Amino acid sequence: MADNARAKKLADLIREVVAEKLLRGVKDPRLGTHVTITDTRVTGDLREATVFYTVYGDDEERAAAAAGLESAKGILRSAVGSAAGTKFTPTLTFIADALPENAKTIEDLLDKARASDAAVREVSSGAQFAGDADPYKKPGDEDDATA
C-alpha cells in the first residue's frame, strides 16, 4: 500500500496530464473544450484511478463526450504512464461529475428561500406589535390601576 501523499500526488498528476492531453493531444471532435476534468482519485494501491469530468452542453453532448472518453482511454493511459514513471500505470475510469446538477439544485432551493423571505417581509411590513407600545410597568401605573 502506498501512502496517501503519494496517491494524492499521482491523482494530481493524472488530472493535469489527462486535461492537457484532452486539450491538445486527442483529435476527437466529441471532446476538446467541452470537457472539464474536475477531480481525480486514486486507490491506495495506485492501481485504479477515477477521473471525474463535466461537460458543458445538453444530454446529447454529454453522451458523445462519454463515448469519446471511452475511445480515448488507451491514449490517455499511455500519456499518464509516460508522465508518471511508475511501475504500473493505473487504469482510468471516467465518471460524469454531478457537481453542476447539485449546484443548480442548491441554487433553486436558495431562490425558493429568498422568495419565502420576501413574502414574509411583505406580510409583516404593515403589522404592529401585539400589546402596548411600552409593555413595561412603571411605578406610577399601579396607582392608576387601583383607582
Side-chain angles (χ1 to χ4, degrees):
M1 276 304 262
D3 60 347
N4 287 339
R6 186 171 179 195
K8 177 71 174 143
K9 258 175 98 169
L10 184 61
D12 291 342
L13 178 72
I14 290 171
R15 186 180 68 240
E16 291 173 13
V17 169
V18 168
E20 184 68 29
K21 193 72 172 171
L22 284 177
L23 188 62
R24 294 196 170 80
V26 178
K27 302 293 185 212
D28 195 340
R30 298 174 289 186
L31 302 174
T33 59
H34 297 294
V35 178
T36 303
I37 305 300
T38 56
D39 192 18
T40 307
R41 295 183 186 151
V42 178
T43 58
D45 60 356
L46 306 179
R47 296 282 179 157
E48 298 175 12
T50 305
V51 180
F52 295 94
Y53 67 95
T54 58
V55 179
Y56 296 109
D58 57 0
D59 291 335
E60 184 179 313
E61 290 176 350
R62 288 186 189 114
L69 286 170
E70 279 301 313
S71 68
K73 189 183 283 189
I75 296 169
L76 296 173
R77 187 172 179 216
S78 297
V80 167
S82 64
T86 57
K87 184 176 181 180
F88 181 81
T89 303
T91 59
L92 301 177
T93 304
F94 293 98
I95 296 178
D97 199 356
L99 185 68
E101 289 83 14
N102 291 345
K104 177 148 179 45
T105 303
I106 291 171
E107 194 63 38
D108 290 343
L109 290 172
L110 288 174
D111 288 341
K112 187 176 178 181
R114 284 186 198 107
S116 176
D117 287 348
V120 168
R121 196 175 312 117
E122 183 179 323
V123 167
S124 67
S125 65
Q128 295 179 352
F129 292 107
D132 296 330
D134 188 10
Y136 298 106
K137 291 185 178 182
K138 297 182 179 121
D141 289 345
E142 290 179 11
D143 297 334
D144 295 337
T146 58

